[in-house]
Coordinates of all heavy atoms in Angstrom, one line a residue:
M1 N 7.0 -17.2 -4.3 CA 5.7 -16.5 -4.2 C 6.0 -15.0 -4.2 O 6.7 -14.5 -3.3 CB 5.0 -16.9 -2.9 CG 3.9 -16.0 -2.5 SD 3.0 -16.2 -1.0 CE 3.4 -17.7 -0.3
P2 N 5.4 -14.2 -5.1 CA 5.5 -12.8 -5.1 C 4.8 -12.2 -3.8 O 3.7 -12.7 -3.4 CB 4.8 -12.3 -6.3 CG 4.8 -13.5 -7.2 CD 4.7 -14.7 -6.3
F3 N 5.5 -11.3 -3.2 CA 5.0 -10.7 -1.9 C 5.2 -9.2 -1.9 O 6.3 -8.8 -2.2 CB 5.7 -11.4 -0.7 CG 5.3 -10.8 0.6 CD1 4.1 -11.1 1.2 CD2 6.1 -10.0 1.3 CE1 3.7 -10.5 2.4 CE2 5.8 -9.4 2.5 CZ 4.6 -9.7 3.1
A4 N 4.2 -8.5 -1.6 CA 4.3 -7.0 -1.4 C 3.8 -6.6 -0.1 O 2.7 -7.1 0.3 CB 3.6 -6.3 -2.5
N5 N 4.5 -5.8 0.7 CA 4.1 -5.3 2.0 C 4.0 -3.8 1.9 O 5.0 -3.1 1.8 CB 5.1 -5.7 3.1 CG 4.7 -5.3 4.5 OD1 3.7 -4.6 4.7 ND2 5.4 -5.8 5.4
L6 N 2.7 -3.3 1.9 CA 2.4 -1.9 1.7 C 2.1 -1.4 3.1 O 1.1 -1.8 3.7 CB 1.3 -1.7 0.8 CG 1.4 -2.4 -0.6 CD1 0.1 -2.2 -1.4 CD2 2.6 -1.9 -1.3
K7 N 2.8 -0.4 3.6 CA 2.6 0.2 4.9 C 1.9 1.6 4.6 O 2.4 2.4 3.9 CB 3.9 0.4 5.6 CG 4.6 -0.9 5.9 CD 5.8 -0.7 6.8 CE 6.6 -2.0 7.0 NZ 5.9 -3.0 7.8
V8 N 0.8 1.7 5.3 CA 0.0 2.9 5.1 C -0.4 3.4 6.5 O -0.5 2.7 7.5 CB -1.3 2.7 4.3 CG1 -0.9 2.2 2.9 CG2 -2.2 1.6 4.9
P9 N -0.7 4.7 6.7 CA -1.2 5.2 7.9 C -2.5 4.6 8.4 O -3.4 4.5 7.5 CB -1.4 6.7 7.7 CG -0.6 7.0 6.5 CD -0.6 5.8 5.7
A10 N -2.6 4.2 9.6 CA -3.8 3.6 10.1 C -5.0 4.5 9.9 O -5.0 5.7 10.2 CB -3.7 3.3 11.6
G11 N -6.1 3.9 9.4 CA -7.4 4.7 9.2 C -7.4 5.6 8.0 O -8.4 6.2 7.8
L12 N -6.4 5.6 7.2 CA -6.3 6.5 6.1 C -7.1 6.0 4.9 O -7.8 6.8 4.2 CB -4.9 6.8 5.7 CG -4.7 7.9 4.6 CD1 -5.2 9.3 5.1 CD2 -3.2 8.0 4.2
L13 N -7.1 4.7 4.7 CA -7.7 4.1 3.5 C -9.0 3.4 3.8 O -9.1 2.7 4.8 CB -6.7 3.1 2.8 CG -5.4 3.7 2.3 CD1 -4.5 2.6 1.7 CD2 -5.6 4.8 1.3
S14 N -9.9 3.5 2.9 CA -11.2 2.8 3.0 C -10.9 1.3 2.6 O -9.9 1.0 2.0 CB -12.3 3.4 2.2 OG -11.9 3.2 0.8
A15 N -11.9 0.4 2.8 CA -11.8 -0.9 2.4 C -11.7 -1.0 0.9 O -10.9 -1.8 0.3 CB -13.0 -1.7 2.9
E16 N -12.4 -0.1 0.2 CA -12.4 -0.1 -1.3 C -11.0 0.3 -1.8 O -10.5 -0.2 -2.8 CB -13.4 0.8 -1.8 CG -14.9 0.4 -1.6 CD -15.4 0.7 -0.2 OE1 -14.8 1.6 0.5 OE2 -16.4 0.1 0.2
E17 N -10.4 1.3 -1.1 CA -9.0 1.7 -1.5 C -8.0 0.6 -1.3 O -7.1 0.4 -2.1 CB -8.6 3.0 -0.8 CG -9.4 4.2 -1.2 CD -9.3 5.4 -0.3 OE1 -9.2 5.2 0.9 OE2 -9.3 6.5 -0.8
K18 N -8.1 -0.1 -0.2 CA -7.2 -1.2 0.1 C -7.4 -2.3 -1.0 O -6.4 -2.8 -1.5 CB -7.5 -1.8 1.5 CG -7.0 -0.9 2.6 CD -7.4 -1.5 3.9 CE -7.2 -0.5 5.0 NZ -7.7 -1.1 6.3
Q19 N -8.7 -2.5 -1.4 CA -8.9 -3.5 -2.4 C -8.3 -3.1 -3.7 O -7.7 -3.9 -4.5 CB -10.4 -3.7 -2.6 CG -10.8 -4.8 -3.7 CD -10.2 -6.1 -3.4 OE1 -10.6 -6.7 -2.4 NE2 -9.4 -6.7 -4.3
R20 N -8.4 -1.8 -4.1 CA -7.7 -1.3 -5.3 C -6.2 -1.5 -5.3 O -5.6 -1.9 -6.3 CB -8.1 0.1 -5.6 CG -9.5 0.3 -6.1 CD -9.7 1.7 -6.8 NE -9.3 2.8 -6.0 CZ -10.1 3.5 -5.2 NH1 -11.3 3.2 -5.1 NH2 -9.6 4.6 -4.5
L21 N -5.6 -1.3 -4.1 CA -4.2 -1.5 -4.0 C -3.8 -3.0 -4.2 O -2.9 -3.3 -4.9 CB -3.7 -1.1 -2.6 CG -3.5 0.4 -2.4 CD1 -3.1 0.7 -0.9 CD2 -2.4 1.0 -3.3
V22 N -4.6 -3.9 -3.5 CA -4.3 -5.3 -3.6 C -4.4 -5.8 -5.1 O -3.6 -6.5 -5.6 CB -5.2 -6.1 -2.7 CG1 -5.1 -7.6 -3.0 CG2 -4.8 -5.8 -1.2
T23 N -5.5 -5.3 -5.7 CA -5.8 -5.7 -7.1 C -4.7 -5.1 -8.0 O -4.1 -5.8 -8.9 CB -7.1 -5.2 -7.6 OG1 -8.1 -5.8 -6.7 CG2 -7.4 -5.5 -9.0
G24 N -4.3 -3.9 -7.8 CA -3.3 -3.2 -8.7 C -2.0 -3.8 -8.6 O -1.3 -4.1 -9.6
V25 N -1.5 -4.1 -7.3 CA -0.2 -4.7 -7.1 C -0.2 -6.2 -7.7 O 0.8 -6.6 -8.3 CB 0.2 -4.7 -5.6 CG1 1.4 -5.6 -5.4 CG2 0.4 -3.3 -5.2
T26 N -1.3 -6.9 -7.5 CA -1.4 -8.2 -8.1 C -1.3 -8.2 -9.6 O -0.5 -9.0 -10.2 CB -2.7 -8.9 -7.7 OG1 -2.8 -9.0 -6.3 CG2 -2.8 -10.3 -8.3
E27 N -2.0 -7.2 -10.2 CA -1.9 -7.1 -11.7 C -0.5 -6.8 -12.1 O 0.0 -7.2 -13.2 CB -2.9 -6.1 -12.2 CG -4.4 -6.5 -12.0 CD -4.7 -7.8 -12.7 OE1 -4.2 -8.1 -13.8 OE2 -5.4 -8.6 -12.1
L28 N 0.2 -5.9 -11.4 CA 1.6 -5.6 -11.7 C 2.5 -6.8 -11.7 O 3.3 -7.0 -12.6 CB 2.1 -4.5 -10.7 CG 3.5 -4.0 -11.0 CD1 3.7 -3.4 -12.4 CD2 3.9 -3.0 -9.9
Y29 N 2.3 -7.6 -10.7 CA 3.1 -8.9 -10.6 C 2.8 -9.8 -11.8 O 3.6 -10.4 -12.4 CB 2.9 -9.6 -9.3 CG 3.8 -9.2 -8.2 CD1 3.2 -8.6 -7.0 CD2 5.1 -9.3 -8.3 CE1 4.0 -8.2 -6.0 CE2 6.0 -8.9 -7.2 CZ 5.4 -8.3 -6.1 OH 6.2 -7.9 -5.1
V30 N 1.5 -9.9 -12.2 CA 1.1 -10.7 -13.3 C 1.6 -10.2 -14.6 O 2.1 -10.9 -15.4 CB -0.5 -10.8 -13.4 CG1 -0.9 -11.5 -14.6 CG2 -1.0 -11.6 -12.1
E31 N 1.6 -8.9 -14.8 CA 2.2 -8.3 -16.0 C 3.7 -8.6 -16.0 O 4.3 -8.8 -17.1 CB 2.1 -6.7 -16.0 CG 0.7 -6.3 -16.2 CD 0.5 -4.8 -16.1 OE1 1.5 -4.0 -16.2 OE2 -0.6 -4.3 -15.8
T32 N 4.4 -8.6 -14.9 CA 5.8 -8.9 -14.8 C 6.2 -10.3 -15.0 O 7.1 -10.7 -15.7 CB 6.4 -8.3 -13.5 OG1 6.1 -6.9 -13.4 CG2 7.9 -8.5 -13.5
F33 N 5.5 -11.2 -14.3 CA 5.9 -12.6 -14.2 C 4.9 -13.6 -14.9 O 5.2 -14.7 -15.0 CB 6.0 -13.0 -12.7 CG 7.0 -12.3 -11.9 CD1 6.6 -11.4 -11.0 CD2 8.3 -12.5 -12.2 CE1 7.5 -10.7 -10.2 CE2 9.3 -11.8 -11.5 CZ 8.9 -10.9 -10.5
G34 N 3.8 -13.0 -15.4 CA 2.9 -13.9 -16.1 C 1.8 -14.4 -15.2 O 1.8 -14.2 -14.0
E35 N 0.8 -14.9 -15.9 CA -0.5 -15.3 -15.2 C -0.2 -16.4 -14.1 O -0.9 -16.4 -13.1 CB -1.5 -15.9 -16.2 CG -2.9 -16.1 -15.7 CD -3.5 -14.8 -15.2 OE1 -3.4 -13.7 -15.9 OE2 -4.2 -14.8 -14.1
R36 N 0.9 -17.1 -14.2 CA 1.2 -18.1 -13.2 C 1.5 -17.5 -11.8 O 1.4 -18.2 -10.8 CB 2.5 -18.9 -13.6 CG 3.8 -18.1 -13.6 CD 4.9 -18.9 -14.2 NE 6.2 -18.2 -14.1 CZ 6.6 -17.2 -14.9 NH1 5.8 -16.9 -15.9 NH2 7.7 -16.6 -14.8
A37 N 1.8 -16.2 -11.8 CA 2.0 -15.5 -10.5 C 0.7 -15.2 -9.7 O 0.7 -15.1 -8.5 CB 2.8 -14.2 -10.7
R38 N -0.4 -15.1 -10.4 CA -1.7 -14.6 -9.8 C -2.0 -15.5 -8.5 O -2.3 -14.9 -7.5 CB -2.8 -14.6 -10.8 CG -4.1 -14.0 -10.2 CD -5.2 -13.9 -11.2 NE -4.9 -13.2 -12.4 CZ -4.9 -11.9 -12.6 NH1 -5.2 -11.1 -11.6 NH2 -4.6 -11.4 -13.7
P39 N -2.1 -16.8 -8.7 CA -2.6 -17.5 -7.5 C -1.7 -17.5 -6.3 O -2.1 -17.9 -5.2 CB -2.8 -19.0 -8.1 CG -2.1 -19.0 -9.3 CD -1.9 -17.6 -9.8
N40 N -0.5 -17.1 -6.5 CA 0.5 -17.2 -5.4 C 0.9 -15.8 -4.9 O 1.8 -15.7 -4.1 CB 1.8 -17.9 -5.9 CG 1.5 -19.3 -6.3 OD1 0.8 -20.1 -5.5 ND2 1.8 -19.7 -7.5
T41 N 0.4 -14.7 -5.5 CA 0.7 -13.4 -5.1 C 0.1 -13.0 -3.8 O -1.2 -13.1 -3.7 CB 0.4 -12.4 -6.2 OG1 1.2 -12.7 -7.4 CG2 0.7 -10.9 -5.8
M42 N 0.9 -12.5 -2.8 CA 0.4 -12.1 -1.5 C 0.7 -10.6 -1.4 O 1.8 -10.2 -1.6 CB 1.0 -12.8 -0.4 CG 0.5 -12.4 1.0 SD 1.3 -13.4 2.3 CE 0.5 -12.7 3.7
V43 N -0.4 -9.8 -1.1 CA -0.2 -8.4 -0.9 C -0.7 -8.1 0.6 O -1.9 -8.4 0.9 CB -1.0 -7.6 -1.9 CG1 -0.9 -6.1 -1.6 CG2 -0.6 -7.9 -3.3
L44 N 0.1 -7.6 1.4 CA -0.2 -7.2 2.8 C -0.3 -5.7 2.9 O 0.7 -5.0 2.6 CB 0.8 -7.8 3.7 CG 0.7 -7.4 5.2 CD1 -0.6 -8.0 5.8 CD2 1.9 -7.9 6.0
V45 N -1.5 -5.2 3.2 CA -1.7 -3.8 3.5 C -1.6 -3.6 5.0 O -2.5 -4.1 5.7 CB -3.0 -3.3 2.9 CG1 -3.1 -1.8 3.2 CG2 -3.1 -3.5 1.4
E46 N -0.5 -3.1 5.4 CA -0.3 -3.0 6.9 C -0.5 -1.6 7.4 O 0.2 -0.7 6.9 CB 1.2 -3.5 7.2 CG 1.6 -3.6 8.6 CD 3.0 -4.1 8.8 OE1 3.6 -4.5 7.8 OE2 3.3 -4.2 9.9
E47 N -1.4 -1.4 8.3 CA -1.7 -0.1 8.8 C -0.7 0.2 10.0 O -0.6 -0.6 10.9 CB -3.1 0.0 9.3 CG -4.1 -0.1 8.2 CD -5.5 0.2 8.6 OE1 -6.1 -0.6 9.3 OE2 -6.0 1.3 8.2
V48 N 0.0 1.3 9.9 CA 1.0 1.8 10.9 C 0.3 2.8 11.8 O -0.4 3.7 11.3 CB 2.2 2.4 10.2 CG1 3.2 2.8 11.2 CG2 2.8 1.4 9.2
T49 N 0.5 2.6 13.1 CA 0.0 3.5 14.1 C 0.4 5.0 13.8 O 1.5 5.2 13.4 CB 0.4 3.1 15.5 OG1 0.0 1.8 15.7 CG2 -0.2 4.0 16.5
D50 N -0.5 5.9 14.0 CA -0.2 7.3 13.7 C 1.1 7.7 14.5 O 1.2 7.4 15.7 CB -1.4 8.2 14.1 CG -1.3 9.6 13.6 OD1 -0.8 9.8 12.5 OD2 -1.7 10.5 14.3
G51 N 2.0 8.3 13.8 CA 3.2 8.7 14.4 C 4.2 7.6 14.5 O 5.3 7.8 15.1
G52 N 3.9 6.4 14.0 CA 4.8 5.3 14.1 C 5.8 5.1 13.0 O 6.4 4.1 12.8
W53 N 6.0 6.2 12.2 CA 7.1 6.1 11.2 C 7.6 7.5 10.9 O 7.0 8.5 11.4 CB 6.5 5.5 9.9 CG 5.3 6.1 9.3 CD1 4.6 7.2 9.7 CD2 4.7 5.7 8.1 NE1 3.6 7.5 8.8 CE2 3.6 6.6 7.8 CE3 5.0 4.7 7.1 CZ2 2.8 6.5 6.7 CZ3 4.1 4.6 6.0 CH2 3.1 5.5 5.8
G54 N 8.7 7.5 10.2 CA 9.3 8.8 9.9 C 10.1 8.8 8.6 O 10.5 7.7 8.1
V55 N 10.5 9.9 8.1 CA 11.3 10.1 6.9 C 12.3 11.2 7.2 O 11.9 12.3 7.8 CB 10.5 10.4 5.7 CG1 11.4 10.7 4.5 CG2 9.5 9.2 5.4
A56 N 13.5 11.0 6.8 CA 14.6 12.1 7.0 C 14.7 12.6 8.4 O 14.9 13.7 8.6 CB 14.3 13.2 6.0
G57 N 14.5 11.7 9.4 CA 14.7 12.0 10.7 C 13.5 12.7 11.4 O 13.6 13.1 12.5
Q58 N 12.4 12.8 10.7 CA 11.2 13.4 11.2 C 10.0 12.4 11.3 O 9.7 11.7 10.4 CB 10.7 14.6 10.3 CG 11.8 15.7 10.2 CD 12.0 16.4 11.5 OE1 11.1 16.7 12.3 NE2 13.3 16.6 11.8
V59 N 9.4 12.4 12.5 CA 8.2 11.5 12.7 C 7.1 12.1 11.8 O 6.8 13.3 11.8 CB 7.8 11.5 14.1 CG1 6.5 10.7 14.3 CG2 8.9 10.7 14.9
L60 N 6.4 11.3 11.1 CA 5.2 11.7 10.3 C 3.9 11.3 11.0 O 3.9 10.2 11.6 CB 5.3 11.0 8.9 CG 6.5 11.4 8.0 CD1 6.4 10.7 6.7 CD2 6.5 12.9 7.8
T61 N 2.9 12.1 10.8 CA 1.6 11.8 11.3 C 0.6 11.8 10.2 O 0.9 12.3 9.1 CB 1.1 12.9 12.4 OG1 1.0 14.1 11.7 CG2 2.1 13.0 13.5
R62 N -0.5 11.2 10.4 CA -1.6 11.1 9.4 C -1.9 12.5 8.9 O -2.1 12.8 7.7 CB -2.8 10.4 10.0 CG -3.9 10.3 9.0 CD -5.0 9.4 9.6 NE -6.2 9.5 8.8 CZ -7.3 9.1 9.2 NH1 -7.5 8.5 10.3 NH2 -8.4 9.2 8.4
A63 N -2.1 13.5 9.9 CA -2.5 14.8 9.5 C -1.4 15.5 8.6 O -1.8 16.2 7.6 CB -2.6 15.7 10.8
M64 N -0.2 15.2 8.8 CA 0.9 15.8 8.0 C 0.8 15.2 6.6 O 1.0 15.9 5.6 CB 2.3 15.5 8.6 CG 2.5 16.2 9.9 SD 4.0 15.6 10.7 CE 5.3 16.1 9.6
L65 N 0.5 13.9 6.5 CA 0.4 13.3 5.2 C -0.8 13.7 4.4 O -0.8 13.6 3.2 CB 0.4 11.7 5.4 CG 1.8 11.2 5.9 CD1 1.6 9.7 6.3 CD2 2.9 11.4 4.9
Q66 N -1.8 14.1 5.1 CA -3.1 14.5 4.4 C -3.1 16.0 4.0 O -4.0 16.4 3.3 CB -4.3 14.3 5.3 CG -4.6 12.8 5.5 CD -5.7 12.5 6.4 OE1 -5.8 13.0 7.5 NE2 -6.7 11.8 5.9
Q67 N -2.1 16.8 4.3 CA -2.0 18.2 4.0 C -1.8 18.3 2.5 O -1.0 17.4 1.9 CB -0.8 18.9 4.7 CG -1.1 19.1 6.2 CD 0.1 19.7 6.8 OE1 1.2 19.9 6.2 NE2 0.0 19.9 8.1
P68 N -2.4 19.2 1.8 CA -2.2 19.4 0.4 C -0.7 19.7 0.1 O 0.0 20.4 0.9 CB -3.0 20.6 0.0 CG -3.9 20.9 1.2 CD -3.3 20.2 2.4
G69 N -0.3 19.2 -1.0 CA 1.1 19.4 -1.5 C 1.3 20.8 -2.1 O 0.3 21.6 -2.1
P70 N 2.5 21.1 -2.5 CA 2.8 22.4 -3.1 C 1.9 22.8 -4.3 O 1.6 24.0 -4.5 CB 4.2 22.3 -3.6 CG 4.8 21.1 -2.9 CD 3.6 20.2 -2.5
S71 N 1.4 21.8 -5.0 CA 0.5 22.1 -6.1 C -1.0 22.2 -5.7 O -1.8 22.3 -6.6 CB 0.7 21.0 -7.2 OG 0.2 19.8 -6.7
G72 N -1.2 22.1 -4.4 CA -2.6 22.2 -3.9 C -3.3 20.9 -3.9 O -4.5 20.8 -3.6
G73 N -2.6 19.8 -4.3 CA -3.3 18.5 -4.4 C -3.1 17.6 -3.3 O -3.7 16.8 -2.9

């Protein structure tokens, strides 16, 4: 069974955005493994508590992740 576990900051995504992620990841698995993968593909969108993760030794918060990048985006 194809399985994807997507970890996202709690409260960051709307229900519609989560649905787009689930649909998109499922489609990627179907493109890779064929239509037979669709009924068995599980996508878990797991919300992580604010400040509950880090990168490169630094704890990340939702506010930090929402700041515009260097290109202003």
Side-chain angles (χ1 to χ4, degrees):
M1 166 187 345
F3 175 75
N5 185 348
L6 309 176
K7 296 184 186 291
V8 300
L12 185 64
L13 300 178
S14 68
E16 293 81 17
E17 290 167 322
K18 291 176 191 175
Q19 180 62 57
R20 282 199 309 267
L21 282 173
V22 169
T23 300
V25 170
T26 300
E27 291 304 319
L28 181 60
Y29 275 120
V30 170
E31 288 174 22
T32 303
F33 299 110
E35 194 60 42
R36 69 186 183 281
R38 186 180 305 279
N40 299 309
T41 296
M42 179 178 181
V43 180
L44 174 63
V45 179
E46 186 174 0
E47 292 189 290
V48 178
T49 303
D50 194 34
W53 60 356
V55 173
Q58 298 296 315
V59 172
L60 295 178
T61 65
R62 181 177 168 187
M64 292 166 68
L65 294 170
Q66 290 180 305
Q67 291 176 358
S71 64

